[in-house]
Amino acid sequence: MSDRKTERLINLTLALLATKRYLKKSEILANVFGYEGTQEAKERMFERDKDDLRSLGIEIEVGDLDPFFEDEPGYKIPQKSYELNVPNLTGRELALISIAANFWNDSVLAPNAQSGIRKLQSLGIPATLDFEFRMKYRFENPTFVLEQLTKAIGQKSRVSFDYDSTSLKERHLEPYRIVFWNGYWYLIGMDLDRAAVRLFKLSRFLGELTLSKKKNEFEIPLDFNVADHLPKVNVEIVKSATIRIRKEAGILLRNRGQLISEENDFGTYEIAYENEVTFLRELIWHGVNVQIVEPAELKSALLDLLNGVLK
Amino acid sequence: MSESALDRTARALDLVPYLLEHQGISIPELAEAFGVSEKQINDDLVLIHMCGLPGYTPLELIDMFYEDGYVTVSDPQSFKKPRSMNKIEMTSLLVSLDLLKSLRTDDVAKEIEALKIKLQENMRFENPFVVVQNMENTEMVEAIERAIAKSTLLRINYASGTKDKTSVRDILPIEIYVANGSTYLNAWCQSSKGDRTFRLDRILSYEIIEGSVVNETRESSVQAVDSLPIELLVSKSARNFIEDNRAIIGHIQEGEQLRIELNPIDREWLVRTILGFGGQIEVSKPKELALEVVSRARAIKESY
């Protein structure tokens, strides 16, 4: 079955692409190979095929043939919209984009990046490989929802999903943008339950993402800017602690800090930190080689953690 | 088998212009380029061969030859040029370029910007992706890339992620990857004679060893990793431990607490990491490991 339908779709594309004038439906049904059965069956087949080709992104133009055939529109595929046109693409650029496409590795968008590359490679431009680098990056699979989210944002459909958090589990969102930031993928959009723009980490999505069946349900505000909504790491007050570190230990900590004083086996450093939780984990990781001198609250938070282990 | 006629049509439409620019390509190469089996490519070619323009005489059919598994197209009919890209193809490529750009400070970043404009020239397009640049050690990344391209050794001073120690190692960089907010480097480690992974922010310094000789003689695993099964009870508030360490987690059992089984792993690292979660992660197996965590916690407490 698949064979016959594929064959018919290819024949239809060829015929509509080759024609200079609009082809009448009756001409198509009579001449393009693959249309069989009763008149009604053929017509239904043709309607479906048109939709299918359009879903592949092929533009089918509908036009009037001439005044005598008012009731019968004609069809053709404009060559200009069908064919890929990247003016003055150089071999170096083609190589660059091929290297970049390796980023997707085996994630869900990899086949799309590859088919895009194949099209560029079909333009007849020889790729040159004169780069000083061979990027071999890979990202951990940025989850299966990327493709659906791309679609949702494109057609402005609302999404709902279960989100792994202590408070609200089911979320309803007008999706604005997918953001790659700090090594993680996020979705940013209008959280309909909270009536505010929120950021969601894709790795915390649970199960399926549901797309609303409607399109154009919302507008992304014209002045929307992702940067305005990222947690303000730089603006947040950076805290500082005094830490004793044994010599030969905690090299990364020492590199980050400012040496204040030295005694036999220990040096005392002033170290800035942003996030108390991660900072405490880092300090504890160093065991007895690292000690908090000040502030007292940080010290008691550390002792709380240890008591938690000992309870 | 479950491939839709539509997916197949899309591939067939792309195959002909691709063949036209890769005359005499072999079936295995073609199968690889399109990410399908050789049988599938053969079936596609047979099908395409039967397609053409109304009339369907040999003159009007798409004409190609196979000879000893090599394919040549002599008449592509109207399929001379590739199809324009669809939105998701364009999106994937633009994001790839953005990601590449976010790692670079040299002229390549400018080239990428120009290329992106070129690609979008004929497509009105709203890109749903935003890549926020925040890579810090681009200079090191660029040096590593050059080492990868030229297969040269790097001598690095590295702060271990499992023990609080540094070591000087000669490594042959192989691949950089980004995961869990950190950038990692896979490399052949000449010093320990095995494949190792390094976190870039733990590389304290590096130098390129010009004219170095790489010796890839492998020695049997230097670090004997204890393979007794480890089981942890993780409370939900500590689930970022799981998120950040997916690679070492064998099995997760949901419940009030998450019961997770770990793949074989360096215990020193595990003990140090668990301590920082203040009781939100408990070791349920093996017992010695649980005791080790407790005695370390006690030692740190006593140091105050």
Side-chain angles (χ1 to χ4, degrees):
Chain A
M1 274 318 282
S2 150
D3 265 23
R4 283 167 64 186
K5 175 156 187 185
T6 305
E7 189 181 346
R8 194 175 68 237
L9 287 173
I10 296 171
N11 284 328
L12 178 61
T13 310
L14 274 173
L16 292 177
L17 201 52
T19 184
K20 294 272 183 294
R21 62 176 180 89
Y22 293 108
L23 291 181
K24 282 184 284 182
K25 193 199 283 181
S26 57
E27 288 178 295
I28 293 168
L29 296 184
N31 296 319
V32 173
F33 185 77
Y35 290 99
E36 288 160 350
T38 63
Q39 185 63 20
E40 206 188 321
K42 285 187 200 170
E43 289 196 8
R44 250 189 286 122
M45 225 179 234
F46 176 63
E47 291 305 320
R48 262 204 310 272
D49 289 352
K50 264 193 316 180
D51 290 344
D52 282 346
L53 290 184
R54 282 178 175 142
S55 80
L56 288 181
I58 298 172
E59 186 193 331
I60 301 175
E61 214 174 74
V62 186
D64 291 324
L65 285 162
D66 66 62
F68 298 108
F69 291 99
E70 262 172 25
D71 56 339
E72 198 183 1
Y75 305 92
K76 72 173 182 183
I77 296 174
Q79 203 175 13
K80 211 174 161 232
S81 75
Y82 179 88
E83 289 180 352
L84 178 65
N85 180 18
V86 186
N88 312 316
L89 185 73
T90 66
R92 185 175 160 88
E93 286 172 327
L94 183 58
L96 191 60
I97 198 167
S98 308
I99 291 170
N102 280 334
F103 267 129
W104 292 107
N105 200 30
D106 51 2
S107 86
V108 278
L109 288 184
N112 296 299
Q114 284 315 316
S115 65
I117 291 289
R118 280 197 307 268
K119 286 175 177 176
L120 292 170
Q121 287 170 340
S122 308
L123 286 169
I125 301 157
T128 47
L129 275 173
D130 54 356
F131 287 102
E132 269 270 281
F133 60 94
R134 301 276 180 277
M135 303 289 272
K136 274 199 114 183
Y137 286 84
R138 61 190 168 90
F139 286 78
E140 297 286 285
N141 195 341
T143 86
F144 58 96
V145 292
L146 276 187
E147 202 166 17
Q148 277 180 293
L149 285 176
T150 304
K151 189 176 162 198
I153 295 171
Q155 64 191 36
K156 307 277 182 295
S157 301
R158 289 178 176 167
V159 294
S160 48
F161 52 90
D162 283 351
Y163 192 66
D164 190 354
S165 81
T166 38
S167 53
L168 196 57
K169 208 172 173 205
E170 197 188 340
R171 304 300 178 110
H172 307 274
L173 205 76
E174 293 176 347
Y176 288 176
R177 287 287 178 264
I178 301 158
V179 184
F180 185 73
W181 176 59
N182 260 343
Y184 292 95
W185 295 95
Y186 297 86
L187 171 65
I188 193 166
M190 176 61 69
D191 184 330
L192 295 169
D193 303 299
R194 300 198 159 143
V197 173
R198 289 288 160 96
L199 201 62
F200 299 89
K201 209 172 188 177
L202 293 199
S203 61
R204 293 201 173 185
F205 280 49
L206 305 167
E208 301 282 308
L209 179 86
T210 315
L211 257 71
S212 153
K213 297 221 164 37
K214 292 186 209 139
K215 294 180 182 177
N216 299 315
E217 289 184 287
F218 60 91
E219 290 279 343
I220 300 176
L222 284 174
D223 59 353
F224 174 76
N225 185 353
V226 168
D228 298 341
H229 299 278
L230 298 177
K232 307 277 184 291
V233 182
N234 300 323
V235 182
E236 197 176 298
I237 303 156
V238 175
K239 290 157 269 190
S240 170
T242 312
I243 311 285
R244 284 177 81 227
I245 305 172
R246 192 185 297 275
K247 283 172 186 165
E248 275 105 49
I251 175 79
L252 291 174
L253 272 178
R254 280 190 279 130
N255 281 354
R256 247 171 35 217
Q258 192 94 38
L259 182 66
I260 305 170
S261 65
E262 279 182 290
E263 52 200 293
N264 298 335
D265 292 337
F266 280 86
T268 303
Y269 294 80
E270 186 78 32
I271 299 175
Y273 66 97
E274 282 161 9
N275 181 316
E276 184 176 298
V277 175
T278 40
F279 188 54
L280 282 172
R281 278 183 196 150
E282 193 181 1
L283 296 179
I284 288 186
W285 188 91
H286 291 88
V288 293
N289 289 332
V290 161
Q291 268 185 337
I292 303 170
V293 182
E294 274 181 329
E297 309 85 72
L298 192 67
K299 203 193 283 187
S300 76
L302 181 124
L303 290 171
D304 285 349
L305 284 175
L306 294 172
N307 289 330
V309 174
L310 295 170
K311 71 171 183 281
Chain B
M1 281 313 281
S2 60
E3 189 184 37
S4 75
L6 218 49
D7 289 339
R8 212 173 155 208
T9 306
R11 184 172 57 244
L13 294 178
D14 294 343
L15 255 170
V16 182
Y18 188 87
L19 283 168
L20 202 58
E21 289 304 332
H22 298 83
Q23 297 282 21
I25 192 173
S26 72
I27 297 283
E29 282 176 293
L30 203 51
E32 203 198 322
F34 281 80
V36 293
S37 69
E38 292 177 29
K39 178 181 181 307
Q40 184 66 62
I41 283 289
N42 270 312
D43 291 350
D44 288 350
L45 293 175
V46 169
L47 184 82
I48 292 167
H49 207 178
M50 294 190 295
C51 297
L53 288 168
Y56 304 101
T57 67
L59 277 180
E60 284 130 356
L61 292 177
I62 293 174
D63 202 12
M64 53 177 131
F65 306 100
Y66 328 106
E67 208 172 58
D68 301 330
Y70 296 92
V71 194
T72 309
V73 172
S74 51
D75 190 345
Q77 297 299 347
S78 327
F79 294 150
K80 293 182 189 68
K81 289 272 180 213
R83 273 191 310 144
S84 53
M85 278 193 236
N86 63 31
K87 276 186 191 167
I88 189 135
E89 287 168 338
M90 186 64 99
T91 303
S92 308
L93 292 182
L94 289 175
V95 186
S96 310
L97 287 169
D98 274 337
L99 291 169
L100 177 53
K101 189 184 152 206
S102 75
L103 298 170
R104 306 205 67 89
T105 52
D106 54 9
D107 286 345
V108 172
K110 280 183 222 140
E111 280 183 66
I112 291 173
E113 222 20 66
L115 174 54
K116 276 171 58 194
I117 292 166
K118 223 181 242 194
L119 284 175
Q120 291 177 91
E121 205 160 295
N122 288 293
M123 189 162 181
R124 254 196 70 231
F125 182 76
E126 185 189 29
N127 189 348
F129 285 84
V130 176
V131 175
V132 181
Q133 171 130 21
N134 52 14
M135 192 73 175
E136 280 158 16
N137 35 16
T138 33
E139 206 175 289
M140 191 195 294
V141 169
E142 283 163 17
I144 293 172
E145 276 168 7
R146 279 194 296 276
I148 295 175
K150 293 180 174 165
S151 296
T152 43
L153 286 176
L154 285 181
R155 178 160 298 159
I156 61 168
N157 187 13
Y158 189 70
S160 161
T162 51
K163 295 169 194 70
D164 191 2
K165 285 196 179 124
T166 64
S167 57
V168 175
R169 292 154 177 268
D170 290 349
I171 61 166
L172 178 70
I174 295 165
E175 177 184 40
I176 297 175
Y177 70 97
V178 180
N180 298 327
S182 296
T183 311
Y184 297 87
L185 170 65
N186 280 337
W188 162 256
C189 179
Q190 186 121 305
S191 311
S192 55
K193 303 222 177 344
D195 297 316
R196 294 285 182 272
T197 301
F198 302 96
R199 214 172 79 186
L200 255 50
D201 60 356
R202 292 183 169 278
I203 299 179
L204 303 166
S205 62
Y206 61 92
E207 62 177 307
I208 293 161
I209 313 176
E210 296 291 353
S212 49
V213 181
V214 180
N215 175 7
E216 289 204 41
T217 332
R218 216 161 281 267
E219 271 177 16
S220 58
S221 178
V222 185
Q223 279 175 301
V225 181
D226 206 326
S227 59
L228 269 177
I230 299 175
E231 193 180 88
L232 305 178
L233 287 173
V234 179
S235 80
K236 294 213 164 146
S237 50
R239 67 161 58 247
N240 59 338
F241 172 81
I242 298 176
E243 278 175 14
D244 291 346
N245 298 292
R246 288 266 181 226
I248 58 162
I249 288 163
H251 179 74
I252 304 183
Q253 191 188 325
E254 298 276 342
E256 193 72 3
Q257 286 177 307
L258 303 161
R259 186 179 290 274
I260 61 172
E261 270 168 43
L262 296 187
N263 300 329
I265 186 186
D266 187 289
R267 293 194 169 192
E268 182 62 27
W269 171 84
L270 185 64
V271 170
R272 287 168 182 264
T273 305
I274 287 177
L275 282 171
F277 283 85
Q280 290 170 354
I281 302 177
E282 285 170 51
V283 179
S284 60
K285 273 184 218 165
K287 203 159 180 222
E288 314 88 82
L289 195 63
L291 292 173
E292 177 67 21
V293 172
V294 169
S295 82
R296 296 264 188 117
R298 199 164 286 142
I300 300 172
K301 200 177 161 185
E302 277 162 12
S303 75
Y304 280 89

